[in-house]
């Protein structure tokens, strides 16, 4: 009998790659998808990967506990991956309460639904390196104290501790992955890496001349989403549930990411990048750098894709995507 997995956030970057991984492993994959007026485009990432038709989709919302209970009851999953969230940090200042409802309470709702309807299921919570915020140690591990710096990070911290609490209170097999930034050609266009690769590709193709960014000095530990979803799956294959940092161990500034992207296209970032205070944040996370030793030793996980390969894959995909759009 194949295992059954339920993914929330199926239509996002990680949901798409995780669904692809689980399908390849022979899982029956189910996804929670919220109702959208743009139903014809919402599965674009799944179509890009060629797996849209292979997944059973259920109408629900993380803010609606009854929908989660119904879906868990119907699907009877062996594994639940809670990836759904209002995940854009900048928006979390503009929509702080919505971010709390979806990202904090949504995670809690999912834990409740699993506790009530499928207490034997294993559950993964998508925690975030943003929880380290104003970093308390130069390199962040599972033991580093948290100091969230945005409504998003505070919301993630709530769901994180609730995951730990449900494990300790009710014995749920609930694991939390503290994932550092991970990117791909399927990254949302509002996040800085994809904004840069898409922007540079447009400049290369003569469609635009400028790319407007915010803080170029922030540094992030950037990996490839395909590597990171593998870590999520590995966590749920362990006898004991636990929390793990997933990171590459290399940090790079936004400026250097930009330089790498522009030079791949034989362009100079100095000729095109403009800084606009509109893109600065009320409180910034200046530096993130993760220590994934625990994941390496206990899960046998390590990243396969380098930053150079990641940038190159993203640039190629954006050039291809824009050329395709131009044809239509
Ligand atoms: P995306 O923003 O690409 O995807 C978010 C997903 O959540 C989308 O499928 C979205 O659906 C869904 N969603 C939003 N609101 C609701 C709701 N109310 N009910 C149900 N679903 C909802 O995020 P990523 O794939 O990049 O990230 C996956 C998870 O991992 C998120 O929780 C994110 O916060 C977390 N994370 C991500 C990291 C990264 O670097 N990518 C690092 C650490 C943590 P729709 O398509 O309808 O908008
Ligand atoms: P982040 O990702 O906030 O780390 O959250 P994002 O790519 O939005 O920002 C990274 C850094 O780049 C700086 N920056 C800009 N960011 C954006 N979006 N747009 C710009 O124009 C720009 N210019 C500079 C930002 O200030 C920031 O320092 C991501 C999300 O996926 C979260 O859901 C996840 O939890 C964390 O990564 C880990």
């Amino acid at each position: 009998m194949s295992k059954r997995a339920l993914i929330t956030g199926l239509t996002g970057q990680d949901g798409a790659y995780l669904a692809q991984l689980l399908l390849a492993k022979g899982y029956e994959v189910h996804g929670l998808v919220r109702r959208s007026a743009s139903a014809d485009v919402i599965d674009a990432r799944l179509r890009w990967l060629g797996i849209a038709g292979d997944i059973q989709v259920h109408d629900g919302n993380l803010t609606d506990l009854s929908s989660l209970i119904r879906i868990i009851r119907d699907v009877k999953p062996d594994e639940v991956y809670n990836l759904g969230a209002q995940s854009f940090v900048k928006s979390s200042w503009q929509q702080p309460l919505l971010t709390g409802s979806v990202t904090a309470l949504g995670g809690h709702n999912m834990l409740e639904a699993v506790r009530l309807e499928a207490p034997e299921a294993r559950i993964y919570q998508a925690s975030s390196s943003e929880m380290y915020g104003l970093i308390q140690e130069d390199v962040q591990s599972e033991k580093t104290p948290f100091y969230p710096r945005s409504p998003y990070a505070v919301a993630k911290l709530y769901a994180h501790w609730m995951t730990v609490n449900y494990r300790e209170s009710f014995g749920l097999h609930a694991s939390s992955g503290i994932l550092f930034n991970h990117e791909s050609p399927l990254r949302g266009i509002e996040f800085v890496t994809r904004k840069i690769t898409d922007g540079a590709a447009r400049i290369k193709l003569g469609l635009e001349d400028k790319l407007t960014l915010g803080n170029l000095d922030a540094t992030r530990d950037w990996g490839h989403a395909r590597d990171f979803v593998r870590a999520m799956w590995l966590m749920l294959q362990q006898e004991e549930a636990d929390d793990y940092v997933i990171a590459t161990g290399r940090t790079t500034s936004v400026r250097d990411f930009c330089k790498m992207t522009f030079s791949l296209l034989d362009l100079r970032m100095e000729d095109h990048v403009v800084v606009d205070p509109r893109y600065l944040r009320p409180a910034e996370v200046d530096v993130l750098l993760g220590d994934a030793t625990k994941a390496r030793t206990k899960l046998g996980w390590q990243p396969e894709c380098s930053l150079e390969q990641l940038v190159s894959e993203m640039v190629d995909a954006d050039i291809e995507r824009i050329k395709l759009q131009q044809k239509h």
Side-chain angles (χ1 to χ4, degrees):
M1 273 265 288
S2 60
K3 278 196 199 169
R4 264 192 307 275
L6 172 68
I7 303 174
T8 74
L10 173 74
T11 54
Q13 169 189 255
D14 291 6
Y17 281 115
L18 179 65
Q20 184 182 47
L21 177 82
L22 296 179
L23 286 168
K25 290 187 181 297
Y27 279 62
E28 184 180 306
V29 178
H30 296 254
L32 178 149
V33 175
R34 59 177 171 159
R35 192 264 153 186
S36 166
S38 311
D40 54 335
V41 291
I42 199 166
D43 63 349
R45 293 184 172 95
L46 302 170
R47 281 190 274 119
W48 175 277
L49 296 178
I51 57 171
D54 302 333
I55 299 159
Q56 298 182 47
V57 169
H58 303 262
D59 182 21
N61 197 300
L62 282 169
T63 59
D64 183 338
L65 177 60
S66 70
S67 72
L68 305 185
I69 289 176
R70 171 181 49 77
I71 293 167
I72 297 271
R73 194 177 285 165
D74 288 351
V75 173
K76 296 185 185 58
D78 300 295
E79 296 174 10
V80 175
Y81 295 86
N82 185 41
L83 311 184
Q86 190 305 91
S87 76
F88 188 39
V89 174
K90 182 97 190 314
S91 276
S92 76
W93 279 283
Q94 272 101 42
Q95 304 183 45
L97 299 175
L98 175 115
T99 302
S101 297
V102 179
T103 305
L105 290 178
H108 194 176
N109 282 339
M110 190 43 106
L111 287 163
E112 262 304 270
V114 168
R115 179 178 79 84
L116 294 170
E117 294 295 331
E120 300 304 318
R122 298 181 172 194
I123 176 163
Y124 172 84
Q125 168 60 24
S127 288
S128 165
S129 54
E130 280 293 294
M131 300 187 310
Y132 296 118
L134 189 63
I135 53 168
Q136 303 293 297
E137 289 181 319
D138 290 345
V139 183
Q140 300 88 49
S141 73
E142 296 80 3
K143 296 203 172 358
T144 304
F146 298 117
Y147 194 137
R149 292 269 278 174
S150 62
Y152 166 82
V154 175
K156 278 288 179 192
L157 200 50
Y158 174 93
H160 174 75
W161 280 118
M162 217 36 100
T163 304
V164 175
N165 185 260
Y166 270 53
R167 181 166 76 221
E168 295 176 354
S169 309
F170 302 117
L172 286 195
H173 192 294
S175 292
S176 174
I178 307 172
L179 270 53
F180 283 61
N181 298 53
H182 45 280
E183 320 294 312
S184 73
L186 299 185
R187 185 55 140 156
I189 197 86
E190 68 274 37
F191 299 96
V192 77
T193 55
R194 183 72 208 297
K195 187 173 168 186
I196 293 170
T197 58
D198 173 75
R202 283 175 194 280
I203 291 168
K204 181 70 186 177
L205 295 173
L207 299 174
E208 274 163 36
D209 185 46
K210 295 288 173 221
L211 170 63
T212 309
L213 297 171
N215 178 13
L216 301 181
D217 296 321
T219 85
R220 290 291 184 273
D221 182 331
W222 276 302
H224 196 302
R226 206 182 292 114
D227 280 336
F228 281 48
V229 300
R230 188 160 38 81
M232 298 175 186
W233 175 77
L234 282 168
M235 283 178 223
L236 295 203
Q237 308 318 305
Q238 306 307 304
E239 196 63 34
E240 302 284 333
D242 206 343
D243 307 321
Y244 296 89
V245 161
I246 303 297
T248 70
R250 168 180 175 188
T251 193
T252 305
S253 67
V254 172
R255 185 187 313 281
D256 285 344
F257 189 98
C258 234
K259 272 192 192 146
M260 288 169 74
T261 305
F262 277 80
S263 77
L264 264 182
L265 292 166
D266 295 320
L267 298 167
R268 278 161 35 94
M269 77 171 270
E270 296 77 12
D271 298 335
H272 303 282
V273 171
V274 180
V275 171
D276 186 332
R278 253 185 329 137
Y279 292 104
L280 301 179
R281 296 171 180 193
E284 179 61 290
V285 173
D286 295 318
V287 181
L288 288 173
L289 174 59
D291 173 2
T293 304
K294 181 174 170 184
R296 201 166 49 245
T297 48
K298 293 205 165 170
L299 303 178
W301 178 85
Q302 57 182 22
E304 284 169 5
C305 182
S306 70
L307 184 64
E308 286 72 16
Q309 289 167 326
L310 170 68
V311 177
S312 161
E313 188 184 330
M314 290 177 72
V315 168
D316 288 350
D318 275 318
I319 293 272
E320 186 190 324
R321 203 162 1 208
I322 296 163
K323 282 186 176 164
L324 263 175
Q325 283 163 5
Q326 283 178 314
K327 272 196 202 147
H328 296 298

